[in-house]
Amino acid sequence: MPHKMNLIEDNYRHKGLRQQMVKQLRDGGFNDERVLAALNEVPRHVFLDSSFVEYAYSDQPFSIGSGQTISQPSTVAVQTKLLNVESGKKVLEVGTGSGYQACVLAAMGAKVFSIERQRNLYFRTKEILEQLPYRVKTFLGDGYEGLPNWEPFDRIIITAGAPFVPPKLVEQLKPGGIMVIPMDNSEGGQTMVRLTKQTDGTLTREEFGSFKFVPMLTGTASD
Ligand code: SAH
């Protein structure tokens, strides 16, 4: 039986560009080697339209249609590092988008559950993920609701700008669990926030600089 992986080309040029991307992140001071190994492994170009291969490995966000973007590699690196993923951890991602961040987490051994609210992106990405060897389960839905049938999670990562911490996501996070969430700030961007749930249910909060995300919206959409 032919393996679906054959449909995806990852040649020496792609691998070379990817190594350069990783080198740039390392030269820029990013030093989490486990995250860098995952970024070196996941073929980022397959998540973009094939005509944009040259751009796939530069440190910039890129349009994936429906007004949405694939996060830039340095942002994926920071969020992944802050999430402190270990093999076997159950991770909930809000904002599947291209599926790239989800695959980076899966490449680190996480069991990834990812929610997307835009129907067309959900189906586009599902098709791409089926051709890749990563353990990512995707859901069409509203991330504010989380996944009540699959909770609790060891880790939760939000990849859209959140106006507040969604209470249901806090409920679905295990004690000792970590949530990484870009929170809307007064400058029109987002502050990267890491919340750690204590055994008594309270949250500790740390901040890690400014970023720019598309907004976390409510409900589902078909545009
Ligand atoms: N993690 C993605 C980044 C996608 S950009 C990647 O690696 O490519 C953010 C995504 O969040 C968009 O696709 C947007 O449609 C989605 N989104 C926004 N609000 C959401 C919500 N409430 N629930 C689920 N997805 C949401």
Side-chain angles (χ1 to χ4, degrees):
M1 195 176 83
H3 195 273
K4 278 184 170 177
M5 187 69 193
N6 294 338
L7 297 174
I8 283 183
E9 193 194 2
D10 187 31
N11 61 32
Y12 283 107
R13 178 154 167 264
H14 298 134
K15 290 187 169 83
L17 287 167
R18 199 147 70 237
Q19 278 165 14
Q20 259 178 348
M21 175 188 86
V22 166
K23 183 179 182 307
Q24 269 173 26
L25 290 170
R26 196 183 279 119
D27 291 349
F30 186 84
N31 60 7
D32 188 321
E33 289 299 327
R34 287 171 58 243
V35 174
L36 289 172
L39 293 171
N40 196 42
E41 179 188 311
V42 180
R44 184 170 159 92
H45 63 278
V46 309
F47 300 91
L48 278 67
D49 194 295
S50 58
S51 54
F52 298 128
V53 163
E54 294 90 63
Y55 301 102
Y57 294 106
S58 61
D59 193 20
Q60 56 184 0
F62 216 83
S63 169
I64 50 173
S66 312
Q68 302 304 327
T69 52
I70 178 171
S71 299
Q72 67 189 92
S74 54
T75 303
V76 172
V78 167
Q79 285 202 282
T80 306
K81 179 183 176 179
L82 291 178
L83 207 59
N84 191 17
V85 175
E86 286 151 28
S87 195
K89 294 282 185 207
K90 246 175 94 183
V91 180
L92 172 65
E93 178 191 34
V94 173
T96 314
S98 69
Y100 177 66
Q101 170 75 74
C103 286
V104 169
L105 294 167
M108 295 182 74
K111 285 180 264 178
V112 184
F113 299 76
S114 186
I115 314 175
E116 173 56 52
R117 68 178 287 279
Q118 283 198 341
R119 193 172 293 270
N120 50 350
L121 265 184
Y122 165 78
F123 284 111
R124 169 199 185 271
T125 297
K126 198 175 169 58
E127 208 169 286
I128 294 173
L129 291 174
E130 278 167 6
Q131 298 172 54
L132 291 165
Y134 299 111
R135 200 159 45 156
V136 177
K137 208 166 161 46
T138 54
F139 299 83
L140 176 64
D142 180 357
Y144 283 98
E145 301 297 320
L147 293 173
N149 294 332
W150 297 88
E151 62 130 357
F153 298 97
D154 298 295
R155 303 284 186 267
I156 298 180
I157 176 173
I158 320 286
T159 65
F164 56 87
V165 180
K168 289 184 181 164
L169 297 187
V170 175
E171 280 171 26
Q172 293 175 23
L173 186 63
K174 280 186 196 170
I178 294 170
M179 186 188 307
V180 174
I181 176 167
M183 301 280 308
D184 293 346
N185 61 31
S186 53
E187 282 96 60
Q190 287 79 30
T191 301
M192 192 62 74
V193 172
R194 176 164 67 184
L195 302 171
T196 307
K197 192 173 185 178
Q198 307 301 306
T199 41
D200 66 1
T202 59
L203 298 171
T204 58
R205 178 190 171 106
E206 302 161 278
E207 295 187 356
F208 298 90
S210 271
F211 293 82
K212 191 89 184 107
F213 284 83
V214 297
M216 183 172 172
L217 304 171
T218 51
T220 55
S222 49
D223 54 324

